[in-house]
């Protein structure tokens, strides 16, 4: 089920939300939470699209969960303008309106839509479905990852034996990541075992990780997204969780909301209970505005940089 919230005085989409269609026996509170999430975005109206699943027996009535959602939205003064069903988002797929004036047809090729043309002209990468996103973030060659995990552990053991910091660390680690960001401006980076081990050790410092959130705030977030996307399959667990959280953050700034959820799933598989991933997911589920979430990360970056450098420009 996809919800598209629109503004009061026009058809412009201001908010989108994708959830698995609630099944029978879903607590009413879940649907109430979805309606409240839409209302919190100051949406005057919402369109509902049900994609796939069991074909409704007739077009006269939406599924029970959708009817309950409509009622919950109405109680919060959010109008559900239309409910549509489509077998899939593909050329020739059947669609029809659920309830209201009967209307049906087949979908045109999504790849030839005005939106697709705009995204292609802007150099945006689009994905066919959630499964494609998951494949993009899946761990790479198991043998390569095992070898890299051993290399990271060896570096940690050496540092512990010498009672020393993990190299690279502090500003040196931030500069290392910044060099890789510059590499990403020229295309998709390629990593050796040594490269991955250094990056894992750099991101093992929470201050360095928090400073790295700033790459997307103070530069081009699409370049940061390219770096973390290329890196994620190359990094062993649990270190991959840090990269996945960084990727979810860039997706927040670039508006790729579907990417956020998949990246956070990947982070929590790599590191169950990862604090930033857990808090990030809770905020997304609660429907916090992207601008508010982005400001939290920006503040975390400011604090990290201030601690790493000993200088806070906001205090001068």
């Amino acid at each position: 089920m996809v919800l598209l919230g629109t503004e009061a005085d026009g058809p412009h989409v201001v908010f989108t939300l994708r959830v698995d269609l609630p099944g029978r026996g879903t607590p009413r509170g879940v649907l109430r939470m979805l309606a409240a999430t839409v209302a919190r975005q100051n949406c005057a109206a919402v369109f509902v699209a049900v994609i796939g699943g069991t074909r409704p027996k007739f077009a006269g009535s939406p599924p029970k969960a959708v009817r309950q959602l409509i009622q919950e939205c109405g109680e919060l003064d959010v109008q559900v303008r239309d409910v549509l069903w489509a077998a899939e988002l593909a050329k020739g797929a059947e669609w029809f309106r659920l309830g209201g004036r009967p209307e049906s047809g087949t979908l045109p090729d999504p790849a030839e839509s005005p939106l697709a043309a705009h995204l292609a002209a802007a150099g945006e990468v689009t994905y066919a479905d959630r499964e494609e996103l998951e494949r993009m973030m899946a761990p790479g060659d198991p043998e390569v990852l095992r070898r890299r995990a051993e290399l990271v552990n060896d570096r940690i053991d050496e540092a512990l034996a010498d009672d020393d910091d993990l190299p690279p660390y502090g500003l040196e680690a931030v500069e290392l990541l910044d060099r890789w960001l510059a590499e990403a401006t020229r295309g998709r980076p390629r990593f050796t075992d040594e490269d991955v081990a250094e990056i894992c050790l750099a991101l093992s410092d929470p201050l360095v990780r928090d400073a790295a959130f700033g790459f997307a705030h103070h530069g081009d977030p699409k370049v940061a997204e390219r770096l973390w996307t290329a890196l994620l399959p190359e990094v062993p667990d649990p270190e991959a969780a840090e990269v996945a959280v960084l990727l979810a953050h860039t997706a927040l700034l670039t508006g790729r909301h579907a990417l956020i959820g998949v990246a956070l799933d990947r982070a929590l598989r790599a590191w169950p209970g990862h604090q930033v991933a857990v808090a990030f997911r809770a905020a997304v589920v609660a429907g916090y505005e992207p601008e508010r979430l982005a400001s939290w990360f920006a503040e975390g970056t400011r604090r990290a940089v201030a601690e790493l450098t000993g200088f806070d420009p906001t205090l001068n």
Side-chain angles (χ1 to χ4, degrees), residues 231-283:
L231 182 61
L232 184 53
E234 306 286 339
V235 176
D237 294 347
E239 289 82 6
E242 306 291 9
V243 181
V245 167
L246 286 160
L247 178 57
H249 169 252
T250 61
L252 174 71
L253 299 187
T254 58
R256 296 178 183 273
H257 295 161
L259 184 58
I260 296 173
V262 178
L264 292 178
D265 285 348
R266 176 71 179 91
L268 291 170
R269 285 196 299 271
W271 186 337
H274 186 280
Q275 290 186 344
V276 176
V278 169
F280 196 169
R281 175 178 290 287

Side-chain angles (χ1 to χ4, degrees), residues 8 37 48 55 57 63 69 73 82 86 114 125 184 193 254 276 280:
T37 298
V48 180
R55 186 186 189 280
K57 293 181 179 179
L69 177 64
C73 285
D82 223 339
V125 178
D193 290 356
T254 58
V276 176
F280 196 169

Side-chain angles (χ1 to χ4, degrees), residues 211-232:
F213 285 124
F215 292 164
H217 283 278
H218 304 301
D220 186 345
K222 294 178 184 177
V223 174
E225 183 177 300
R226 184 184 304 146
L227 172 60
W228 308 131
T229 300
L231 182 61
L232 184 53

Side-chain angles (χ1 to χ4, degrees), residues 5-311:
T6 62
E7 58 190 14
D9 55 354
H12 301 292
V13 175
V14 296
F15 173 72
T16 61
L17 177 66
R18 174 204 172 278
V19 296
D20 291 335
L21 183 65
R24 293 181 178 179
T26 299
R28 192 64 177 262
V30 173
L31 300 170
R32 189 173 300 118
M33 182 189 71
L34 289 176
T37 298
V38 175
R40 194 178 294 121
Q41 314 306 315
N42 297 318
C43 298
V46 63
F47 291 84
V48 180
V50 179
I51 312 297
T54 303
R55 186 186 189 280
K57 293 181 179 179
F58 59 95
S61 178
K64 181 178 179 181
V66 176
R67 297 199 304 272
Q68 292 176 336
L69 177 64
I70 293 172
Q71 181 179 341
E72 295 292 344
C73 285
E75 293 178 0
L76 296 174
D77 296 323
V78 176
Q79 175 192 3
V80 176
R81 288 186 175 173
D82 223 339
V83 181
L84 304 176
W85 176 85
E88 59 179 329
L89 295 181
K91 181 179 180 180
E94 178 189 17
W95 70 268
F96 52 75
R97 175 178 282 109
L98 293 171
R101 178 172 52 86
E103 190 173 356
S104 63
T106 57
L107 293 179
D109 188 347
E112 297 178 358
S113 68
L115 175 60
H118 171 78
L119 293 175
E124 297 279 2
V125 178
T126 57
Y127 303 95
D129 49 32
R130 182 183 178 91
E131 286 71 26
E132 184 175 351
L133 285 171
E134 291 174 342
R135 288 194 298 271
M136 178 190 74
M137 297 185 204
D141 186 302
E143 177 58 29
V144 172
L145 294 179
R146 183 196 61 76
R147 187 174 68 234
R148 291 172 176 176
E150 289 181 354
L151 183 57
V152 170
N153 291 335
D154 288 344
R155 295 289 176 83
I156 294 173
D157 290 341
E158 291 171 7
L160 291 174
D162 296 336
D163 195 22
D164 200 359
D165 291 314
L166 287 174
Y169 59 90
L171 289 178
E172 179 187 354
V174 177
E175 291 168 358
L176 168 72
L177 297 175
D178 192 45
R179 290 196 296 272
W180 279 108
L181 186 70
E183 187 72 21
T185 64
R186 295 185 282 272
R188 187 180 178 90
R190 296 182 179 276
F191 308 94
T192 66
D193 290 356
E194 290 286 341
D195 295 333
V196 171
E198 281 193 332
I199 294 171
C200 287
L201 294 173
L203 291 175
S204 68
D205 183 345
L207 287 178
V208 173
R209 189 268 324 282
D210 290 354
F213 285 124
F215 292 164
H217 283 278
H218 304 301
D220 186 345
K222 294 178 184 177
V223 174
E225 183 177 300
R226 184 184 304 146
L227 172 60
W228 308 131
T229 300
L231 182 61
L232 184 53
E234 306 286 339
V235 176
D237 294 347
E239 289 82 6
E242 306 291 9
V243 181
V245 167
L246 286 160
L247 178 57
H249 169 252
T250 61
L252 174 71
L253 299 187
T254 58
R256 296 178 183 273
H257 295 161
L259 184 58
I260 296 173
V262 178
L264 292 178
D265 285 348
R266 176 71 179 91
L268 291 170
R269 285 196 299 271
W271 186 337
H274 186 280
Q275 290 186 344
V276 176
V278 169
F280 196 169
R281 175 178 290 287
V284 170
V285 170
Y288 283 99
E289 299 85 349
E291 295 78 10
R292 184 177 181 185
L293 288 174
S295 70
W296 288 352
F297 282 104
E299 174 62 15
T301 293
R302 184 194 68 77
R303 290 177 180 272
V305 171
E307 188 162 344
L308 287 167
T309 63
F311 173 74

